[in-house]
Amino acid sequence: MNTIKFNIDKLKNYGILYLSLPLFLFCVLWLKLYIALPILLIFIYIIIRLLRRKGTAGDNILELNLPAIILIILAVLFWCYTSGIGGGFYQSWDQHFKNATFRDLINFKWPVIYERYNIGLVYYFGIWIVPALMGKLVIFLGFSKNVAWIFANIFLYLWCSLGLLLSMLLLCSYCKCHKFLKVLMLLAVFMAFSSPDIIGHFIVNGIYFTGNIEWWSVDFALRSNTTSIFWAYNQAIPLWLAGSLFLEAGKEKYIPLVLVLTLFYSPFCAIGLVPFYFYFILMYIKKKVSENNKKDIVSYFINIENVFAYLVILPILYLFYTSNTSVGSGLRLIWQQFNMSFMSTVFIEYVLFICIEVLTLFFCLLIIDRHNVYIYISCISILLLSMVIIGEGTEVAFRISATMPAVFFLSVVSIKELSEIKKINYKAYILGALILIGAITPLMEYARAANAIRQNRSLAVVADSIRSYNSKFADHNFAADNIDEKFFYKYMANYK
């Protein structure tokens, strides 16, 4: 049967370019010329270096037959479509806010400023930059804003599909899923993977199903992969690509750059990647020390890509994000916000959440492979990050987004373990049961979508009531007020 070969080093290069392009456009089109021009030149130099970089090994090839490739493409297109990306299918409630962000990026001059209210759009909108630019091009060509919105949404769907396709190909390489059935298993498990929410939901709510069972513990939750793409595709798809780049050996020197690039798509997900980042750094240093190769250790930290990421891009993003109004609420731990006294409601919620969701995953996967470091890092990071609140009130955005990387790595661990099972044994039964129980969560997402489609008698149940943040009462999570007083807008943004 005919096969197609993918050079993994080139796929990794394409992945880094995919993550880089929106940030490149942001720096060039949002910042003052004296800042944007040097960044433009450095970006071009890094891209040339990246494309000229030689592969790490001649046999670093992913070989897939045509049916497997078609399966991956169809699965990616299906998943992106049914998550509501592009507006052709049911959209989750959170898309009201995301569609408003996307529309303002299309309709307003960059940087997006609501001059009447002295407010600026400040959010992690990396996923929408390239599609929004395509929408602006349509308006420039003389078409209406409605036509531009439709075109930009089509391009958004294709752009997200491309990012997800790169992620799946890299995961096929890492998990050694080269045959059709193994590729099918990888796609099915990745889409189905979740913590066992149904157990906690049954204990707390009985057999009553609300359509979204992840929030059975009210203030704590782990997003399944499907929930992530339904509710936060702007964070999930770049995160999965970044995580896939982390996993693939041979690009160690680019891991710091990838981490900083992830900040533009989701600062919370980037924080969730930090424990894995330090692990990869330590493994790289250990490897080079054993080889008595100190020169490579120095070049790991001191090279144009990483110096540029840490000393240029990181400060820019820090100043941009800290101009957001909600950042003023600061960082708090859960016991500073909630009544966490013994046997209080929130205390019981948290204990049940840890026992049912985190420890169940930990012990089941530990039985299967107690030497897998990703299991320990993932579960410890969930324990720590689920205690943190950033934003106003009891905001859950940080806790559910910062733990998404851990869920990603645990799903990859499960896929890799399944792909290596030679015969059915107790490990296969444990892993199979864990995945099947967890799969109820994404199934409920699709059941909720089907119910909304039935009620509205339309596939395209679009969540688009906010329309724009051009308002005195713009949501603080998406805006910076009094921008004339913010350092980013006074000295860096191409404004006034």
Side-chain angles (χ1 to χ4, degrees):
M1 185 176 290
N2 292 333
T3 61
I4 297 177
K5 296 180 180 180
F6 297 91
N7 184 297
I8 298 303
D9 290 301
K10 287 185 177 180
L11 281 180
K12 288 184 281 188
N13 288 342
Y14 297 149
I16 294 171
L17 287 173
Y18 178 94
L19 294 173
S20 300
L21 181 58
L23 182 56
F24 166 76
L25 292 172
F26 170 80
C27 290
V28 171
L29 299 176
W30 285 60
L31 303 179
K32 293 184 186 297
L33 183 61
Y34 69 86
I35 301 174
L37 187 57
I39 289 176
L40 170 63
L41 296 175
I42 297 171
F43 252 120
I44 292 172
Y45 176 70
I46 289 174
I47 289 170
I48 293 172
R49 270 173 55 96
L50 189 66
L51 294 177
R52 286 183 175 179
R53 188 174 186 267
K54 294 181 181 180
T56 55
D59 60 347
N60 198 13
I61 298 293
L62 170 65
E63 190 170 347
L64 297 172
N65 59 39
L66 189 58
I69 295 171
I70 292 173
L71 175 65
I72 294 171
I73 293 173
L74 290 177
V76 164
L77 293 174
F78 169 81
W79 209 18
C80 285
Y81 174 71
T82 56
S83 67
I85 298 172
F89 197 77
Y90 165 79
Q91 293 182 332
S92 298
W93 175 81
D94 222 32
Q95 305 313 314
H96 287 291
F97 303 95
K98 293 174 172 58
N99 282 328
T101 303
F102 188 29
R103 181 179 284 102
D104 283 353
L105 287 169
I106 297 169
N107 293 340
F108 285 81
K109 179 185 174 182
W110 292 356
V112 176
I113 305 293
Y114 312 112
E115 294 186 4
R116 181 178 178 183
Y117 307 104
N118 199 30
I119 290 174
L121 179 67
V122 177
Y123 190 63
Y124 31 97
F125 44 59
I127 200 72
W128 297 296
I129 288 285
V130 175
L133 190 61
M134 295 299 103
K136 284 184 174 295
L137 177 61
V138 172
I139 293 174
F140 176 78
L141 293 174
F143 293 92
S144 68
K145 289 183 177 180
N146 287 336
V147 172
W149 174 248
I150 294 169
F151 181 85
N153 268 284
I154 293 171
F155 197 89
L156 174 65
Y157 171 70
L158 296 175
W159 181 250
C160 289
S161 297
L162 174 61
L164 187 55
L165 177 62
L166 288 170
S167 302
M168 293 303 104
L169 289 173
L170 288 170
L171 286 182
C172 282
S173 171
Y174 174 75
C175 296
K176 294 182 170 49
C177 295
H178 301 160
K179 303 298 183 182
F180 181 85
L181 288 179
K182 284 197 173 183
V183 170
L184 177 61
M185 179 274 295
L186 180 147
L187 294 168
V189 173
F190 192 80
M191 294 172 70
F193 191 83
S194 173
S195 55
D197 298 296
I198 188 63
I199 297 174
H201 179 86
F202 181 76
I203 291 171
V204 174
N205 301 309
I207 60 173
Y208 175 72
F209 292 96
T210 60
N212 191 328
I213 62 175
E214 288 179 320
W215 291 102
W216 60 269
S217 61
V218 184
D219 293 296
F220 307 96
L222 292 179
R223 276 177 169 155
S224 69
N225 288 337
T226 289
T227 306
S228 293
I229 199 171
F230 265 60
W231 289 78
Y233 66 86
N234 59 306
Q235 301 178 66
I237 293 173
L239 163 67
W240 297 336
L241 180 54
S244 301
L245 290 168
F246 269 43
L247 287 165
E248 271 294 338
K251 268 286 191 292
E252 294 95 343
K253 290 183 180 181
Y254 287 90
I255 285 178
L257 176 62
V258 170
L259 180 66
V260 173
L261 290 173
T262 308
L263 278 168
F264 191 51
Y265 297 91
S266 173
F268 298 160
C269 285
I271 291 171
L273 279 174
V274 167
F276 301 94
Y277 166 75
F278 281 117
Y279 169 72
F280 284 112
I281 285 180
L282 290 173
M283 290 301 101
Y284 181 79
I285 293 174
K286 181 181 177 182
K287 174 185 173 184
K288 294 304 176 182
V289 168
S290 66
E291 297 171 356
N292 198 26
N293 190 346
K294 296 179 181 178
K295 182 180 177 181
D296 274 3
I297 297 175
V298 174
S299 66
Y300 178 90
F301 294 101
I302 305 176
N303 60 69
I304 183 65
E305 293 84 6
N306 295 342
V307 170
F308 176 64
Y310 284 133
L311 299 185
V312 179
I313 300 302
L314 190 59
I316 290 172
L317 291 179
Y318 172 79
L319 291 168
F320 176 64
Y321 285 137
T322 52
S323 66
N324 183 284
T325 304
S326 65
V327 172
S329 302
L331 181 150
R332 306 175 306 287
L333 298 175
I334 53 175
W335 51 81
Q336 294 174 303
Q337 181 68 44
F338 299 109
N339 172 19
M340 291 290 288
S341 59
F342 183 69
M343 296 307 290
S344 66
T345 301
V346 180
F347 177 82
I348 294 171
E349 287 174 3
Y350 183 69
V351 170
L352 286 174
F353 165 73
I354 295 300
C355 291
I356 295 172
E357 304 223 1
V358 184
L359 294 182
T360 301
L361 286 171
F362 177 71
F363 286 116
C364 287
L365 293 174
L366 200 66
I367 292 171
I368 294 162
D369 186 0
R370 60 189 176 89
H371 300 294
N372 194 306
V373 178
Y374 298 138
I375 299 172
Y376 295 94
I377 297 175
S378 297
C379 292
I380 291 172
S381 69
I382 292 171
L383 288 172
L384 296 177
L385 295 172
S386 60
M387 296 181 184
V388 179
I389 299 172
I390 294 179
E392 298 177 342
T394 60
E395 177 62 59
V396 298
F398 178 84
R399 298 198 294 284
I400 57 176
S401 295
T403 54
M404 282 167 57
V407 175
F408 166 78
F409 279 96
L410 290 175
S411 65
V412 173
V413 167
S414 301
I415 292 166
K416 193 166 177 61
E417 291 294 336
L418 278 176
S419 70
E420 293 174 353
I421 289 176
K422 303 298 182 182
K423 61 180 181 178
I424 302 298
N425 54 25
Y426 74 95
K427 291 184 178 181
Y429 286 119
I430 292 172
L431 198 50
L434 183 68
I435 293 167
L436 288 174
I437 292 171
I440 297 174
T441 300
L443 285 175
M444 291 304 296
E445 286 287 343
Y446 277 101
R448 188 167 51 82
N451 185 52
I453 290 168
R454 179 183 59 81
Q455 290 179 349
N456 290 272
R457 298 183 179 180
S458 172
L459 284 175
V461 184
V462 179
D464 194 22
S465 65
I466 297 174
R467 309 293 292 181
S468 173
Y469 292 114
N470 187 18
S471 166
K472 181 180 180 180
F473 305 103
D475 191 309
H476 288 174
N477 289 320
F478 297 82
D481 55 11
N482 301 318
I483 58 173
D484 291 333
E485 302 173 6
K486 302 294 173 65
F487 185 94
F488 178 83
Y489 286 95
K490 285 177 69 175
Y491 303 107
M492 302 180 71
N494 185 23
Y495 166 63
K496 290 187 177 181

